Amino acid sequence: MSSMNLEKLFAPGSVAVVGASEKPGSAGAAVIGNLVGGGFTRHIYPVNPHSGEIFGRKAYQSVKDLPETPDLAVIATPIHTVPGIVKSCMEKGLCGAVVLSAGGKETGEKGAAIESEICRTIRNSDFRVIGPNCFGIISPRDDLNAGFAGWMPKKGGMAFISQSGAICRAILDFAAREHIGFSYFVSLGSMLDVDFGDMIDYLGGDPSVGSIVMYIENLCRIRNFMSAARAVSRIKPIIALKSGRSAAGAAAAVSHTGALTGEDAIYDAAFKRAGIIRVNTFAELFDCAEFIGKQPGPKGHGLAIVTNAGGPGIMAADALWDYGFPPAALSLDTLKKMDAILPPHWSRSNPVDILDDAAPDRYVQCVDILMQAKEVDGLLIMLVPHAVAEPEMTARDLADLLKKRSYPVFTAWLGGSDAETGRAIFNKAGIPTFDSPERAVRAFMDLYHYSRNIETLQQVPRKLPGRLSFDHVAARQLVDIGRGRKNGLLTETEAKQLLAAYGIPVNKTEVATDAEQAVQVAQGIGYPVVMKIHSSCIVHKSDVGGVVLDIREDEGVRAAFERIRQSVTFQYPGSFAGVGVQKMLPRRDFELIAGSRTDKDFGPVLLFGLGGVLTEVLKDRSIALPPLNRLLARQMIEGTLIWRLLNGYRNYQAVDVSQLESILIRLSHMVSDFAEIAEVDINPLLINEGRVIAVDARVSIATSFVEAPLHLVISPYPNQYEDQIDIEGVGRLTVRPIRPEDAPLLEEMFSVLSLTSVYYRFFNIMKRLPHHMLARYTQIDYDREIAMVAIDSSGGSEKMLGVSRVIADGSMKSAEFAVVVADQWQGKGIGAVLLSRCLDFAQSKNIQKIWAVVMPGNTKMLAMAKKMNFDIKYHHSRGEYELTLDLRRSGKNRECRAGSDNVGAVQEIG
């Protein structure tokens, strides 16, 4: 689908209104009135077979009769007519349509069938559809109001996207009252075609958009959404208000893991992984967007609060405590400076109460000191109108001073008409201002969490000690066993074998089908032992009397066997198949839980937290989406309350967290590799004398209609592109996709590049790669780009010799490529091999064309392009070469061609 056509929808040269009418109250009349009223001066073509003229404009019988081809059609006709109209629009050559018509899938099967027909009509085309059942679209900068909005909102830098038309109406009213402007205002309706992911992709590339604000009821094409959001959130904030909080999704789950991973928690985890800020109210939605748009990110959570009344200061401090943070502790130097300008009985603490007789100059002096205080990361200035207070003059005096801010500074002028003028002054000066302490603190904390989230997204994960290895063959056999059972459950023994195949340490269990065999097994393991029911039918063993602990002698084994058999047979006749015998571990330091369940929308969802019988009572858990690396695994662990104990607390020794990280990463790999794994429940996961071990495990297998790894909403590392190659004069190299953990290798390679090589690659001279670029180049989305690296491991440690990357645009039809090889290894064919592997990736994604811009002096790149049959054009006006390769005509054997004498021609363009 084309992003170019989306651009034409929001900035059309002309518009056709299908179903236009002069009938008062009709949708067609509203659309034309709103287009004209919004200032749209380009051609508007009414289409209505029953009218000759509408509002002084000639009405056309059908789209095919229009004298020119508009870019956009706005369709306001009964839903059953829409498929035919869309087909006519496509035949005429329009770029897309906004379908206002209701009556689609929201009405039932008949409406859903109509939407399916529209989908079939536009499939495999570049024609885009917004809607149906939508409110319309607004682009204030292009004077486009194509929908039901009765007025054009102010121009601004905020883009708003919503599913609900009713919410759109409410938001427009709210924005008008709060003087909020928009760059785009889009109602997606049923999202038959254009969805949130498409819009994020499009808005992310528009420099006029400062922030993206969304009202979400549900998501579709979630993998596309996550891919777009992860890319765009690094460059501009995305804020979401998600409605429909519900635990209904967890009610049907059979395990602890299922009960602890409800729908709303999954959305939280997904938004966090994508870098999206989640808010809970309309007011917070716009406060957050405005605040982030106007303020630099804070370095920490140290907020200083200035007030002329004690009560509001306490309210602000309490609001900050609700987020787990105290106000910033003022240094002795700051207190000394304050003592010099404030009355003797000022608060001498934070909040800084400068007393109710504070004049404008006292505010200015106090604020100036705090703006220079190193311990302060943000500053909230409050004023309560007293008899001697001067809200307007104080605001005017502060406005100029606050423009010099280097960290977030914001105000709360409390009260009604007395404070309104002061708030208007701050708004005009671009300084966020609020009408309550709680609202102001909430906006600051949203900005703090956004800044921390961006920092987290750019952190470089460390490698685990040793290489991960898995027994895929054994795992596949066990998964197939589960697929063959009606309930899909593996026995505990089988579940542990599956975990062991992925390197997760387990307390080995052996099966005994009679009492004497159980005695023999127990003797072989060594007392004390634990006995559990061996069954693929029973999930919670303790609930049916299926567990006996701490058995220390043979007679105890016999008694336990009979006790379990009778209890289980009484409650579940025919389900007893024996017992599992395992070693009784000594003192337990911690009981944890780790697991996964497959959500119908998000695929596998991972869980970690406090385990044992209190799992569902205390609900101390953290969830995340696979795939995981070491950093993400650590964040999961740190997101629980039990982390404080795991990290060492009083008489609790700190545990080796790398073991837990390894288990979570291995679990992530397991559920990523097998789409059929519906649930995994490791409870308890014990820490015993510093060793982490899975004591009990349950695994449920179910039919998957999607093959791995397409069942994931985040693309995993594509290990199918890993290879070993031999290059003459270099030796054996590993060629593979780049990983986030490769940042140190990339940084080391960059440090040995000549300034010429750096300039040819980046069109700029840099002595080092900034951290954000290092993160950007190693933490990539494998759904839309690839970076292949050549790694030399011959010296005992890894060294990166070269990198090639291909980055697709929003349409996924065109992609830019780049190649850089360390100077010492240039001219040996490494770049050609890496680029060739990148082109394999591009073709697998159905990318049609790749291109690059090359400096004239970069002769080695030009020579490689000629050998690989690129089209080469020289632009005299720009002084640079443009290389393009049509992958639809490109053959498969590029590596052979790279060494051939077949040389492409160079075209010169003036």
Side-chain angles (χ1 to χ4, degrees), residues 157-454:
M158 185 189 308
F160 179 76
I161 318 168
S162 172
Q163 285 168 275
S164 166
I167 293 297
C168 286
R169 291 184 178 91
I171 291 296
L172 282 175
D173 287 343
F174 179 86
R177 187 178 75 243
E178 297 291 322
H179 308 290
I180 296 170
F182 299 96
S183 53
Y184 295 89
F185 194 93
V186 182
S187 168
L188 294 176
S190 297
M191 298 192 295
L192 175 149
D193 173 31
V194 176
D195 57 23
F196 282 104
D198 294 321
M199 287 305 307
I200 290 171
D201 255 332
Y202 171 71
L203 298 171
D206 188 335
S208 72
V209 175
S211 58
I212 300 171
V213 177
M214 305 182 295
Y215 171 77
I216 298 173
E217 293 174 354
N218 63 280
L219 293 173
C220 60
R221 296 173 61 221
I222 295 179
R223 184 158 172 157
N224 179 60
F225 171 84
M226 292 294 292
S227 177
R230 291 173 68 215
V232 173
S233 65
R234 294 171 181 267
I235 56 175
K236 56 186 69 174
I238 305 175
I239 303 109
L241 172 59
K242 167 70 176 70
S243 64
R245 293 170 175 265
S246 170
V254 298
S255 69
H256 294 299
T257 299
L260 291 170
T261 52
E263 177 184 311
D264 202 56
I266 297 172
Y267 270 97
D268 272 340
F271 288 161
K272 183 176 181 180
R273 183 70 174 269
I276 296 172
I277 309 163
R278 184 175 186 180
V279 298
N280 297 318
T281 65
F282 285 143
E284 186 181 4
L285 190 72
F286 291 105
D287 284 350
C288 181
E290 180 186 30
F291 200 74
I292 290 174
K294 290 181 178 179
Q295 296 290 323
K299 295 179 180 179
H301 53 76
L303 180 66
I305 302 164
V306 177
T307 178
N308 66 340
I314 295 171
M315 292 168 66
D318 286 346
L320 195 60
W321 263 115
D322 287 341
Y323 291 94
F325 299 115
L330 301 181
S331 67
L332 291 176
D333 182 59
T334 300
L335 292 172
K336 183 177 180 181
K337 291 178 180 177
M338 290 290 193
D339 284 335
I341 64 163
L342 294 177
H345 46 292
W346 76 281
S347 64
R348 299 205 84 254
S349 63
N350 185 17
V352 180
D353 184 354
I354 60 175
L355 307 179
D356 58 5
D357 63 346
D361 62 331
R362 188 183 297 173
Y363 265 98
V364 169
Q365 289 177 304
C366 178
V367 167
D368 188 41
I369 291 171
L370 290 173
M371 287 178 66
Q372 299 175 49
K374 295 180 180 179
E375 65 271 23
V376 175
D377 302 311
L379 177 59
L380 167 60
I381 308 164
M382 296 195 295
L383 182 143
V384 178
H386 289 296
V388 295
E390 301 178 61
E392 180 179 350
M393 184 59 67
T394 303
R396 292 189 187 281
D397 289 355
L398 284 173
D400 288 336
L401 174 64
L402 298 184
K403 290 178 182 178
K404 304 173 184 177
R405 62 190 183 274
S406 59
Y407 55 66
V409 178
F410 50 110
T411 68
W413 254 224
L414 310 183
S417 57
D418 289 343
E420 189 60 41
T421 304
R423 289 196 287 265
I425 291 169
F426 287 128
N427 279 326
K428 187 176 180 180
I431 299 162
T433 188
F434 303 92
D435 56 11
S436 73
E438 296 88 353
R439 191 175 167 187
V441 169
R442 182 185 62 198
F444 173 75
M445 291 312 302
D446 282 339
L447 177 60
Y448 170 76
H449 288 133
Y450 170 70
S451 299
R452 297 291 82 76
N453 205 8
I454 294 301

Side-chain angles (χ1 to χ4, degrees), residues 48 345 431 485 499 632 757 784 793:
N48 191 327
H345 46 292
I431 299 162
R485 290 182 180 142
L499 297 182
L632 294 170
S757 292
R784 58 178 64 202
S793 303

Side-chain angles (χ1 to χ4, degrees), residues 40-246:
F40 190 79
T41 58
R42 284 143 283 172
H43 286 298
I44 302 173
Y45 296 106
V47 177
N48 191 327
H50 306 295
S51 300
E53 186 176 280
I54 297 175
F55 294 128
R57 291 176 167 82
K58 179 183 176 180
Y60 294 86
Q61 295 293 299
S62 67
V63 172
K64 67 180 182 180
D65 296 328
L66 297 176
E68 67 164 325
T69 300
D71 294 316
L72 169 67
V74 181
I75 302 176
T77 63
I79 190 71
H80 70 271
T81 67
V82 173
I85 294 170
V86 167
K87 185 176 181 181
S88 296
C89 290
M90 295 174 65
E91 292 171 348
K92 185 70 176 178
L94 275 73
C95 295
V98 174
V99 181
L100 307 178
S101 317
K105 63 185 179 184
E106 75 276 5
T107 64
E109 291 183 7
K110 186 176 180 180
I114 294 173
E115 289 197 16
S116 295
E117 186 179 353
I118 299 171
C119 286
R120 288 192 297 271
T121 301
I122 66 173
R123 187 174 295 150
N124 300 322
S125 76
D126 288 335
F127 191 87
R128 306 308 308 265
V129 172
I130 294 177
N133 191 26
C134 75
F135 185 72
I137 62 174
I138 303 173
S139 178
R141 67 173 183 173
D142 293 295
D143 300 319
L144 177 71
N145 183 0
F148 295 137
W151 68 93
M152 179 71 79
K154 290 174 56 178
K155 296 177 182 178
M158 185 189 308
F160 179 76
I161 318 168
S162 172
Q163 285 168 275
S164 166
I167 293 297
C168 286
R169 291 184 178 91
I171 291 296
L172 282 175
D173 287 343
F174 179 86
R177 187 178 75 243
E178 297 291 322
H179 308 290
I180 296 170
F182 299 96
S183 53
Y184 295 89
F185 194 93
V186 182
S187 168
L188 294 176
S190 297
M191 298 192 295
L192 175 149
D193 173 31
V194 176
D195 57 23
F196 282 104
D198 294 321
M199 287 305 307
I200 290 171
D201 255 332
Y202 171 71
L203 298 171
D206 188 335
S208 72
V209 175
S211 58
I212 300 171
V213 177
M214 305 182 295
Y215 171 77
I216 298 173
E217 293 174 354
N218 63 280
L219 293 173
C220 60
R221 296 173 61 221
I222 295 179
R223 184 158 172 157
N224 179 60
F225 171 84
M226 292 294 292
S227 177
R230 291 173 68 215
V232 173
S233 65
R234 294 171 181 267
I235 56 175
K236 56 186 69 174
I238 305 175
I239 303 109
L241 172 59
K242 167 70 176 70
S243 64
R245 293 170 175 265
S246 170

